[in-house]
Amino acid sequence: MAEAEETGDDAPKKKSKLPLIIGLVLAIAGGGGGFYAVQSGALFGGESPDGVAAHEPADMMMDTPDVAFVPIDPVVISLGEGTAARHLRFRAQLEVMPLYKEEVAKLTPRVVDVLNSYLRALNPGDLENNSALVRLRAQMLRRIQIVTGADRVNDLLIMEFVLN
């Protein structure tokens, strides 16, 4: 009986190499597919339909629209007694389409009045918050667009915002 046990189960079974071969084939196919996707431009930009690479900085400069800038006179606002800063110095420019530059320039006294009124109505704590500039910019742009017309001013560019 001891002889039957030794001869039947002692031989180790060979494991199939089929899963290893399938994994290797899938890895090569995946790598080749990824290479093709990147080279053809399906992933990460590539070339645009006109044949120019989409990630080139020179291409980005050519697509910028023609805009004009209308400077706004600097405004100095006195702040309340409860703050360390006593004055706010504010200077900005309006981004407009060249077609509307003259019309918006004629309205700059009204724009300065609206900005002056808005900034004076703010609490000093509103100005010292880290995210204040983004919120204030959006509020001022909306008020400027009401004065000049919604399609006249594209953006408000803040050139100087100093509390001292």
Side-chain angles (χ1 to χ4, degrees):
M1 263 210 281
E3 293 176 15
E5 290 178 10
E6 289 177 15
T7 60
D9 292 332
D10 280 348
K13 293 183 179 180
K14 287 192 170 185
K15 293 185 180 180
S16 175
K17 294 188 180 188
L18 186 61
L20 178 64
I21 293 171
I22 290 174
L24 185 62
V25 169
L26 288 176
I28 291 172
F35 176 77
Y36 174 75
V38 171
Q39 284 300 102
S40 67
L43 292 177
F44 308 120
E47 290 191 7
S48 61
D50 59 356
V52 179
H55 60 275
E56 291 182 13
D59 185 39
M60 292 174 56
M61 294 301 292
M62 289 180 189
D63 291 340
T64 57
D66 190 24
V67 294
F69 297 98
V70 177
I72 296 176
D73 295 333
V75 177
V76 178
I77 307 293
S78 61
L79 302 175
E81 297 294 325
T83 64
R86 297 285 182 198
H87 294 92
L88 166 66
R89 194 169 64 223
F90 176 80
R91 186 172 58 91
Q93 291 191 10
L94 302 176
E95 179 182 308
V96 298
M97 298 299 290
L99 175 67
Y100 303 124
K101 183 177 180 179
E102 293 301 319
E103 292 177 29
V104 173
K106 288 180 185 177
L107 293 173
T108 53
R110 193 171 289 187
V111 169
V112 170
D113 178 57
V114 168
L115 292 176
N116 197 2
S117 300
Y118 174 71
L119 291 171
R120 288 194 54 79
L122 292 174
N123 293 327
D126 295 338
L127 299 173
E128 295 171 355
N129 189 356
N130 290 340
S131 63
L133 194 58
V134 174
R135 186 176 41 79
L136 294 173
R137 181 174 174 257
Q139 290 289 329
M140 289 185 284
L141 177 61
R142 179 66 190 131
R143 284 167 171 75
I144 291 168
Q145 287 174 336
I146 290 171
V147 169
T148 61
D151 60 340
R152 303 282 193 255
V153 177
N154 297 334
D155 203 0
L156 172 69
L157 306 171
I158 297 176
M159 310 308 283
E160 187 175 11
F161 192 88
V162 179
L163 293 169
N164 58 6

